[in-house]
Amino acid sequence: MQPPVPELGEALKQSRKGRRLTLEQLAERSGVSKSMLSQIERGKVNPTFAVLWNLSSALGVEISDLISGASEAVNSDVVEHMKGYSTPEIRSQDGKCLLRILNPARSALNMEWYELLYEPGGELDSDAHAEGTWEHLTVLDGTLQVHVADRVFTVEAGETLRYDVGQPHRIANASGASARALLVVALPGQYGGQRQT
């Protein structure tokens, strides 16, 4: 049975109207056809990630803002229930690592958290983050290698590695099996400017 289409239509419509754009104007800005926009707004189709990306860029909003707007439209003010198909996802450059963005888009928290799904051989290369940023990687299944500066750490299922990411770093699956992990990124100021240990 197919999952229901996420209720993005109303959130998209409100975002478009809030910017006083017609369907024609948004179609021109985003490169998404007017008929497709109309179908999305009416809840007839489920847009792909690429279409959502184009629409959010044209509207000047984050994809997660559209998605959280959709979840707000169908949930109470006290509970937010994010369906699996509405969870924003990003793929690594090699296509072998999927990051599922679990933190709320409108959160004022100084942290982000992700579910990482790695195919064998998958790698996620990252440039240095802002000074004072730390990552906390907990491997749930499989084995991952974390490369920080000139050091390599092997992290097995059930283990957590915490490391400063003020320098380029890489998380890789060098094994022949899939791996799954949770990654919490604690941004500067999360611990009142104190060194995290």
Short mmCIF file of all heavy atoms in Angstrom, two decimals, residues 144-180:
data_model
loop_
_atom_site.label_atom_id
_atom_site.label_comp_id
_atom_site.label_asym_id
_atom_site.label_seq_id
_atom_site.Cartn_x
_atom_site.Cartn_y
_atom_site.Cartn_z
N LEU A 144 32.16 1.97 11.25
CA LEU A 144 32.53 3.16 10.49
C LEU A 144 33.92 3.61 10.90
O LEU A 144 34.37 3.36 12.02
CB LEU A 144 31.53 4.30 10.73
CG LEU A 144 30.13 4.11 10.15
CD1 LEU A 144 29.20 5.22 10.61
CD2 LEU A 144 30.17 4.04 8.63
N GLN A 145 34.60 4.28 9.98
CA GLN A 145 35.89 4.87 10.27
C GLN A 145 35.75 6.39 10.22
O GLN A 145 35.12 6.92 9.30
CB GLN A 145 36.94 4.45 9.24
CG GLN A 145 37.40 3.02 9.39
CD GLN A 145 38.52 2.69 8.42
OE1 GLN A 145 38.71 3.37 7.42
NE2 GLN A 145 39.26 1.63 8.71
N VAL A 146 36.32 7.06 11.21
CA VAL A 146 36.29 8.51 11.26
C VAL A 146 37.73 9.02 11.09
O VAL A 146 38.62 8.62 11.85
CB VAL A 146 35.69 9.03 12.59
CG1 VAL A 146 35.69 10.55 12.62
CG2 VAL A 146 34.28 8.49 12.77
N HIS A 147 37.92 9.86 10.08
CA HIS A 147 39.23 10.45 9.80
C HIS A 147 39.19 11.91 10.25
O HIS A 147 38.42 12.71 9.72
CB HIS A 147 39.53 10.40 8.30
CG HIS A 147 39.52 9.00 7.74
ND1 HIS A 147 40.67 8.36 7.33
CD2 HIS A 147 38.50 8.11 7.54
CE1 HIS A 147 40.35 7.14 6.90
NE2 HIS A 147 39.04 6.98 7.01
N VAL A 148 40.00 12.25 11.25
CA VAL A 148 40.08 13.62 11.75
C VAL A 148 41.56 14.00 11.75
O VAL A 148 42.38 13.34 12.39
CB VAL A 148 39.51 13.74 13.18
CG1 VAL A 148 39.56 15.19 13.64
CG2 VAL A 148 38.10 13.20 13.25
N ALA A 149 41.88 15.06 11.01
CA ALA A 149 43.29 15.47 10.83
C ALA A 149 44.05 14.26 10.29
O ALA A 149 43.67 13.70 9.28
CB ALA A 149 43.87 16.00 12.13
N ASP A 150 45.10 13.83 10.98
CA ASP A 150 45.89 12.69 10.47
C ASP A 150 45.61 11.41 11.26
O ASP A 150 46.38 10.46 11.20
CB ASP A 150 47.38 13.03 10.51
CG ASP A 150 47.87 13.38 11.91
OD1 ASP A 150 47.02 13.53 12.81
OD2 ASP A 150 49.09 13.50 12.09
N ARG A 151 44.49 11.37 11.98
CA ARG A 151 44.16 10.20 12.79
C ARG A 151 42.93 9.49 12.22
O ARG A 151 42.04 10.12 11.65
CB ARG A 151 43.90 10.61 14.23
CG ARG A 151 45.13 11.28 14.86
CD ARG A 151 44.87 11.70 16.28
NE ARG A 151 44.75 10.52 17.15
CZ ARG A 151 44.39 10.61 18.43
NH1 ARG A 151 44.13 11.76 18.99
NH2 ARG A 151 44.29 9.51 19.15
N VAL A 152 42.90 8.17 12.40
CA VAL A 152 41.77 7.35 11.95
C VAL A 152 41.25 6.55 13.13
O VAL A 152 42.03 5.89 13.83
CB VAL A 152 42.17 6.39 10.81
CG1 VAL A 152 40.98 5.55 10.38
CG2 VAL A 152 42.74 7.15 9.63
N PHE A 153 39.94 6.62 13.36
CA PHE A 153 39.31 5.90 14.46
C PHE A 153 38.28 4.93 13.90
O PHE A 153 37.49 5.29 13.04
CB PHE A 153 38.60 6.88 15.41
CG PHE A 153 39.51 7.92 16.00
CD1 PHE A 153 39.70 9.12 15.34
CD2 PHE A 153 40.17 7.70 17.20
CE1 PHE A 153 40.54 10.09 15.86
CE2 PHE A 153 41.02 8.67 17.73
CZ PHE A 153 41.20 9.86 17.05
N THR A 154 38.30 3.69 14.39
CA THR A 154 37.30 2.70 13.99
C THR A 154 36.24 2.65 15.08
O THR A 154 36.56 2.47 16.26
CB THR A 154 37.95 1.31 13.81
OG1 THR A 154 38.94 1.41 12.77
CG2 THR A 154 36.92 0.27 13.42
N VAL A 155 34.98 2.81 14.67
CA VAL A 155 33.88 2.85 15.63
C VAL A 155 32.93 1.69 15.31
O VAL A 155 32.37 1.62 14.22
CB VAL A 155 33.12 4.20 15.56
CG1 VAL A 155 32.14 4.32 16.71
CG2 VAL A 155 34.09 5.38 15.56
N GLU A 156 32.78 0.80 16.27
CA GLU A 156 31.95 -0.40 16.12
C GLU A 156 30.53 -0.13 16.63
O GLU A 156 30.29 0.84 17.35
CB GLU A 156 32.55 -1.56 16.93
CG GLU A 156 33.99 -1.88 16.61
CD GLU A 156 34.16 -2.71 15.35
OE1 GLU A 156 33.15 -3.26 14.86
OE2 GLU A 156 35.30 -2.79 14.86
N ALA A 157 29.61 -1.02 16.29
CA ALA A 157 28.23 -0.91 16.77
C ALA A 157 28.21 -0.82 18.29
O ALA A 157 28.90 -1.56 18.98
CB ALA A 157 27.42 -2.12 16.30
N GLY A 158 27.45 0.14 18.81
CA GLY A 158 27.33 0.35 20.25
C GLY A 158 28.34 1.34 20.81
O GLY A 158 28.25 1.72 21.98
N GLU A 159 29.28 1.79 19.99
CA GLU A 159 30.30 2.73 20.45
C GLU A 159 29.97 4.15 19.99
O GLU A 159 29.29 4.35 18.99
CB GLU A 159 31.68 2.34 19.92
CG GLU A 159 32.15 0.98 20.41
CD GLU A 159 33.50 0.58 19.84
OE1 GLU A 159 33.98 1.22 18.89
OE2 GLU A 159 34.07 -0.40 20.34
N THR A 160 30.49 5.13 20.74
CA THR A 160 30.33 6.54 20.40
C THR A 160 31.70 7.20 20.34
O THR A 160 32.55 6.95 21.19
CB THR A 160 29.46 7.27 21.47
OG1 THR A 160 28.15 6.69 21.47
CG2 THR A 160 29.34 8.75 21.17
N LEU A 161 31.89 8.02 19.33
CA LEU A 161 33.12 8.79 19.19
C LEU A 161 32.74 10.27 19.17
O LEU A 161 31.83 10.67 18.45
CB LEU A 161 33.83 8.43 17.87
CG LEU A 161 35.19 9.10 17.64
CD1 LEU A 161 36.23 8.55 18.62
CD2 LEU A 161 35.65 8.89 16.20
N ARG A 162 33.42 11.08 19.99
CA ARG A 162 33.18 12.52 20.04
C ARG A 162 34.46 13.22 19.58
O ARG A 162 35.54 12.89 20.06
CB ARG A 162 32.84 12.96 21.46
CG ARG A 162 31.71 12.17 22.08
CD ARG A 162 31.41 12.62 23.51
NE ARG A 162 30.74 11.60 24.28
CZ ARG A 162 29.46 11.28 24.16
NH1 ARG A 162 28.72 11.90 23.28
NH2 ARG A 162 28.93 10.34 24.91
N TYR A 163 34.33 14.19 18.67
CA TYR A 163 35.53 14.81 18.11
C TYR A 163 35.25 16.23 17.64
O TYR A 163 34.16 16.58 17.22
CB TYR A 163 36.09 13.94 16.96
CG TYR A 163 35.03 13.50 15.97
CD1 TYR A 163 34.82 14.19 14.77
CD2 TYR A 163 34.23 12.40 16.23
CE1 TYR A 163 33.85 13.79 13.88
CE2 TYR A 163 33.26 11.98 15.34
CZ TYR A 163 33.07 12.69 14.16
OH TYR A 163 32.09 12.30 13.28
N ASP A 164 36.28 17.04 17.71
CA ASP A 164 36.25 18.44 17.29
C ASP A 164 36.30 18.48 15.76
O ASP A 164 37.15 17.84 15.15
CB ASP A 164 37.49 19.14 17.88
CG ASP A 164 37.54 20.62 17.59
OD1 ASP A 164 36.85 21.09 16.67
OD2 ASP A 164 38.28 21.31 18.31
N VAL A 165 35.37 19.21 15.15
CA VAL A 165 35.33 19.26 13.69
C VAL A 165 35.67 20.66 13.17
O VAL A 165 35.13 21.13 12.17
CB VAL A 165 33.97 18.77 13.14
CG1 VAL A 165 33.84 17.28 13.31
CG2 VAL A 165 32.80 19.50 13.79
N GLY A 166 36.59 21.31 13.85
CA GLY A 166 37.10 22.59 13.37
C GLY A 166 38.15 22.38 12.30
O GLY A 166 38.93 23.28 11.98
N GLN A 167 38.21 21.19 11.73
CA GLN A 167 39.16 20.83 10.68
C GLN A 167 38.45 19.87 9.73
O GLN A 167 37.43 19.29 10.09
CB GLN A 167 40.37 20.15 11.30
CG GLN A 167 40.01 18.92 12.11
CD GLN A 167 40.94 18.70 13.28
OE1 GLN A 167 42.09 19.05 13.19
NE2 GLN A 167 40.45 18.16 14.36
N PRO A 168 38.97 19.68 8.51
CA PRO A 168 38.33 18.73 7.59
C PRO A 168 38.26 17.34 8.23
O PRO A 168 39.16 16.95 8.98
CB PRO A 168 39.26 18.73 6.37
CG PRO A 168 39.93 20.07 6.43
CD PRO A 168 40.12 20.36 7.90
N HIS A 169 37.21 16.61 7.95
CA HIS A 169 37.03 15.29 8.53
C HIS A 169 36.19 14.44 7.58
O HIS A 169 35.55 14.94 6.67
CB HIS A 169 36.36 15.38 9.91
CG HIS A 169 35.11 16.19 9.90
ND1 HIS A 169 35.10 17.57 9.79
CD2 HIS A 169 33.80 15.84 9.98
CE1 HIS A 169 33.87 18.03 9.80
NE2 HIS A 169 33.06 17.00 9.90
N ARG A 170 36.23 13.13 7.82
CA ARG A 170 35.56 12.20 6.91
C ARG A 170 35.03 11.02 7.72
O ARG A 170 35.71 10.50 8.59
CB ARG A 170 36.52 11.73 5.84
CG ARG A 170 35.96 10.70 4.88
CD ARG A 170 36.81 10.59 3.62
NE ARG A 170 38.22 10.42 3.88
CZ ARG A 170 38.87 9.25 3.77
NH1 ARG A 170 38.24 8.17 3.39
NH2 ARG A 170 40.15 9.18 4.02
N ILE A 171 33.80 10.59 7.40
CA ILE A 171 33.23 9.37 7.98
C ILE A 171 33.06 8.40 6.82
O ILE A 171 32.42 8.73 5.82
CB ILE A 171 31.88 9.64 8.66
CG1 ILE A 171 32.00 10.73 9.73
CG2 ILE A 171 31.33 8.35 9.28
CD1 ILE A 171 30.67 11.18 10.29
N ALA A 172 33.64 7.21 6.95
CA ALA A 172 33.64 6.26 5.84
C ALA A 172 33.25 4.87 6.31
O ALA A 172 33.48 4.49 7.46
CB ALA A 172 35.02 6.21 5.20
N ASN A 173 32.64 4.13 5.40
CA ASN A 173 32.33 2.72 5.64
C ASN A 173 33.28 1.90 4.78
O ASN A 173 33.04 1.70 3.60
CB ASN A 173 30.87 2.42 5.28
CG ASN A 173 30.50 0.97 5.53
OD1 ASN A 173 31.33 0.18 5.97
ND2 ASN A 173 29.27 0.61 5.24
N ALA A 174 34.37 1.45 5.39
CA ALA A 174 35.38 0.68 4.66
C ALA A 174 35.08 -0.81 4.67
O ALA A 174 35.82 -1.60 4.10
CB ALA A 174 36.76 0.94 5.28
N SER A 175 33.96 -1.19 5.31
CA SER A 175 33.63 -2.62 5.41
C SER A 175 32.81 -3.06 4.21
O SER A 175 32.41 -2.25 3.38
CB SER A 175 32.84 -2.87 6.71
OG SER A 175 31.51 -2.41 6.56
N GLY A 176 32.54 -4.35 4.15
CA GLY A 176 31.73 -4.90 3.06
C GLY A 176 30.26 -4.99 3.41
O GLY A 176 29.48 -5.58 2.67
N ALA A 177 29.85 -4.41 4.55
CA ALA A 177 28.45 -4.46 4.98
C ALA A 177 27.92 -3.05 5.19
O ALA A 177 28.68 -2.11 5.39
CB ALA A 177 28.34 -5.26 6.27
N SER A 178 26.61 -2.91 5.16
CA SER A 178 25.99 -1.61 5.41
C SER A 178 26.21 -1.20 6.86
O SER A 178 26.46 -2.04 7.72
CB SER A 178 24.49 -1.67 5.13
OG SER A 178 24.26 -1.95 3.77
N ALA A 179 26.10 0.11 7.11
CA ALA A 179 26.25 0.62 8.48
C ALA A 179 25.19 1.69 8.71
O ALA A 179 24.74 2.35 7.78
CB ALA A 179 27.65 1.20 8.68
N ARG A 180 24.83 1.83 9.98
CA ARG A 180 23.84 2.84 10.37
C ARG A 180 24.32 3.51 11.64
O ARG A 180 24.84 2.85 12.54
CB ARG A 180 22.48 2.16 10.60
CG ARG A 180 21.34 3.13 10.86
CD ARG A 180 20.00 2.39 10.79
NE ARG A 180 19.87 1.39 11.84
CZ ARG A 180 19.20 1.58 12.98
NH1 ARG A 180 18.57 2.70 13.20
NH2 ARG A 180 19.14 0.61 13.87
#
